[in-house]
């Protein structure tokens, strides 16, 4: 047996040694390959972790930047616009001098002729309703409009990131635009007050005059009739604003030119370095105009206005006790005039702005806008 084994070994020793050598080399190669593969996996995992960390960093920077824009809007843009709006409406539709004339006429009957007294009461009637309905429309539209601006900005930041822009480059571009373009874009909320307030109030006064022309001072009105009168004035105003021309009270026809004029008036010189920001501004304002002209925005605008009108008249009903037949219109006018004050309060104290923001249909609209679902036109 041993002799046979030795013979087998002698005959096949070379083959056996070669086979063992090949097996050893294969085993070593396998372990080398396995080690290299594991190392490659670890490198890939490390790279993926680094890329995820970089993505998370940019996302956090974008979120921080978006929150900064929202903060500017909530603490500066809308409060400033509402403050200017309150000053303009209060000054241009002030009825104190008219009521003083009526008081004087009570003391001195010769102070006003019967015709002058009638005309004074008619002016008080028109201005009281114009003041409150203008405040209602402007407050509602400014709060919705500014939210559109912020949502469009946030969407642009997200889309830029999603398209794979280099994080450092994106952040640098965002920071540059935030200092110039964002401020110019958000500052457009002041356009109504700075450039269009007189035309806007004149149009609203025409609507109020048309609706109120058949309503006499002695006519009795209950709260339902007051509400219907307010809604009729709103509807008449929109009817007079054909082809969505009401948008021109909020959005300049040429935003870059308007922004350039604002920049010159504030700084005193023409800064050509802002041209890139103005190009971006033009793009953002074009998108804003498209959103405002959409059926979806028109829907939430009308729903918001009717909601606020109901709340305002309900508050009026709490302030005064009216019999079933209502009160004479002349008696209601001072109360109607005062309804504008709470409508024009600063945003953090303005319950009407909070009501609009909390409406489910309004929240849904801005969610769909942020996800860039095409508006219905």
């Amino acid at each position: 047996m041993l002799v046979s084994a030795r013979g087998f070994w002698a005959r096949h020793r070379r083959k056996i040694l070669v086979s063992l050598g090949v097996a050893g080399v294969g085993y070593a190669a396998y372990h080398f390959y396995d080690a290299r593969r594991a190392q490659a996996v670890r490198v890939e995992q490390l790279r993926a972790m680094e890329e995820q960390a970089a993505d998370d960093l940019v996302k956090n920077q974008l979120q921080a930047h978006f929150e900064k824009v929202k903060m500017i809007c909530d603490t500066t843009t809308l409060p400033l616009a509402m403050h200017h709006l309150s000053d303009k409406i209060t000054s241009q539709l002030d009825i104190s001098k008219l009521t003083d004339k009526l008081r004087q006429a009570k003391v001195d009957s010769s102070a006003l002729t019967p015709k002058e007294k009638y005309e004074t009461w008619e002016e008080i009637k028109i201005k009281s309703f114009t003041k409150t309905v203008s405040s209602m429309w402007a407050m509602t539209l400014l709060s919705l409009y500014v939210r559109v601006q912020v949502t469009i900005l946030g969407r642009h930041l997200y889309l830029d990131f999603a398209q794979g822009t280099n994080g450092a480059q994106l952040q640098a571009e965002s920071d540059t635009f935030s200092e110039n373009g964002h401020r110019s874009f958000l500052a457009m909320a002041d356009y109504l007050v700075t450039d269009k307030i007189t035309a806007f109030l004149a149009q609203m006064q025409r609507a109020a005059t048309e609706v109120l022309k058949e309503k006499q001072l002695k006519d009795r009105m209950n709260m339902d009739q007051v509400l219907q009168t307010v809604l009729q004035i709103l509807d008449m105003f929109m009817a007079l604003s054909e082809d969505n021309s009401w948008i021109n009270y909020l959005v300049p026809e040429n935003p870059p030119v308007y922004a350039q004029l604002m920049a010159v008036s504030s700084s005193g010189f023409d800064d050509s370095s802002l041209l890139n920001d103005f190009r971006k501004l033009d793009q953002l304002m074009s998108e804003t105009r498209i959103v405002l002209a959409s059926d979806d925005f028109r829907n939430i605008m009308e729903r918001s206005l009717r909601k606020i009108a109901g709340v305002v008249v309900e508050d009026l009903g709490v302030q005064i006790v009216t019999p079933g037949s209502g009160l004479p219109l002349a008696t209601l006018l001072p109360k109607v005039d005062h309804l504008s004050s709470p409508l024009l309060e600063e945003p953090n104290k303005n319950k009407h702005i909070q009501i609009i923001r909390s409406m489910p249909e309004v929240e849904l609209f801005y969610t769909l806008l942020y996800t860039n679902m095409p508006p219905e036109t």
Side-chain angles (χ1 to χ4, degrees):
M1 184 70 179
L2 182 57
V3 173
S4 176
R6 286 177 177 174
F8 179 82
W9 168 254
R11 290 192 304 273
H12 300 287
R13 179 176 61 178
R14 183 179 179 83
K15 294 180 181 179
I16 293 173
L17 291 175
V18 170
S19 298
L20 289 175
V22 171
V25 170
Y27 181 76
Y30 169 77
H31 274 280
F32 177 76
Y33 166 77
D34 188 57
R36 295 288 292 181
R37 183 176 62 82
Q39 182 180 13
V41 170
R42 287 194 296 270
V43 169
E44 189 62 32
Q45 289 175 339
L46 182 60
R47 183 183 295 112
M49 291 173 62
E50 290 175 347
E51 290 177 354
Q52 183 63 47
D55 287 350
D56 289 344
L57 176 61
V58 174
K59 286 180 179 178
N60 290 336
Q61 289 172 335
L62 286 173
Q63 183 63 31
H65 185 71
F66 183 48
E67 292 299 326
K68 179 182 177 182
V69 172
K70 287 176 62 179
M71 182 186 69
I72 292 173
C73 170
D74 291 340
T75 62
T76 304
T77 305
L78 187 56
L80 189 62
M82 291 297 296
H83 175 72
H84 292 162
L85 180 68
S86 179
D87 287 346
K88 294 287 187 178
I89 289 180
T90 300
S91 63
Q92 293 196 31
L93 295 172
D94 181 30
I95 64 170
S96 60
K97 291 182 179 180
L98 298 174
T99 55
D100 288 344
K101 288 170 65 175
L102 292 176
R103 291 191 187 98
Q104 182 63 29
K106 283 185 177 181
V107 177
D108 180 5
S109 59
S110 64
L112 292 175
T113 66
K115 181 182 178 182
E116 290 172 335
K117 186 176 181 180
Y118 171 79
E119 290 175 346
T120 301
W121 269 111
E122 284 296 302
E123 189 174 353
I124 290 174
K125 178 182 73 173
I126 300 301
K127 281 192 171 182
S128 295
F129 274 93
T130 300
K131 184 178 181 181
T132 289
V133 181
S134 294
S135 301
M136 187 181 302
W137 191 93
M139 177 277 298
T140 300
L141 266 293
L142 277 178
S143 62
L144 293 173
Y145 170 50
V146 170
R147 181 80 181 275
V148 167
Q149 289 181 299
V150 173
T151 304
I152 288 176
L153 281 176
R155 190 186 66 196
H156 268 268
L157 289 172
Y158 177 79
L159 290 178
D160 286 345
F161 169 75
Q163 289 169 359
T165 305
N166 176 267
Q169 178 186 349
L170 173 62
Q171 185 64 17
E173 291 175 354
S174 296
D175 286 344
T176 299
F177 186 64
S178 72
E179 294 299 323
N180 299 308
H182 284 185
R183 294 185 184 280
S184 296
F185 182 50
L186 294 176
M188 291 294 164
D190 254 353
Y191 179 69
L192 169 63
V193 178
T194 57
D195 281 62
K196 290 295 185 179
I197 190 66
T198 300
F200 162 66
L201 294 178
Q203 184 81 317
M204 189 64 76
Q205 189 159 318
R206 282 192 286 273
T209 301
E210 181 65 24
V211 171
L212 295 169
K213 64 183 180 181
E214 302 298 332
K215 299 186 184 299
Q216 304 301 315
L217 295 169
K218 64 182 180 181
D219 292 346
R220 290 183 170 273
M221 296 181 69
N222 57 34
M223 292 303 100
D224 286 340
Q225 290 169 321
V226 173
L227 175 59
Q228 289 307 309
T229 300
V230 169
L231 294 176
Q232 287 170 11
I233 295 173
L234 286 170
D235 290 341
M236 179 61 66
F237 173 79
M238 296 303 290
L240 292 173
S241 304
E242 297 178 349
D243 300 324
N244 287 326
S245 60
W246 58 267
I247 296 175
N248 295 328
Y249 295 126
L250 299 170
V251 181
E253 291 187 14
N254 193 325
V257 171
Y258 176 75
Q260 184 75 10
L261 291 174
M262 292 299 99
V264 171
S265 65
S266 62
S267 64
F269 63 92
D270 188 354
D271 187 356
S272 59
S273 67
L274 299 178
L275 287 177
N276 287 334
D277 290 327
F278 290 152
R279 293 189 190 100
K280 183 68 172 180
L281 172 67
D282 195 32
Q283 177 189 358
L284 294 174
M285 290 306 299
S286 295
E287 291 187 23
T288 301
R289 183 177 282 273
I290 290 172
V291 171
L292 297 184
S294 69
D295 290 340
D296 289 336
F297 184 85
R298 182 67 174 258
N299 179 50
I300 66 161
M301 177 180 69
E302 291 177 350
R303 286 171 178 262
S304 298
L305 285 169
R306 275 158 174 70
K307 177 70 173 179
I308 296 304
V311 171
V312 168
V313 174
E314 183 179 340
D315 290 343
L316 176 62
V318 172
Q319 298 173 24
I320 58 178
V321 178
T322 59
S325 59
L327 292 174
L329 177 56
T331 304
L332 287 172
L333 289 179
K335 294 291 185 182
V336 171
D337 178 75
H338 291 151
L339 291 175
S340 66
S341 296
L343 285 166
L344 298 175
E345 283 186 331
E346 57 186 273
N348 64 337
K349 298 179 180 178
N350 194 318
K351 76 171 186 177
H352 305 97
I353 290 178
Q354 304 307 319
I355 288 172
I356 292 170
R357 288 176 175 175
S358 64
M359 292 173 62
E361 54 268 53
V362 172
E363 286 298 320
L364 177 60
F365 170 80
Y366 288 112
T367 299
L368 295 178
L369 178 60
Y370 188 79
T371 58
N372 202 23
M373 179 174 288
E376 185 179 311
T377 56

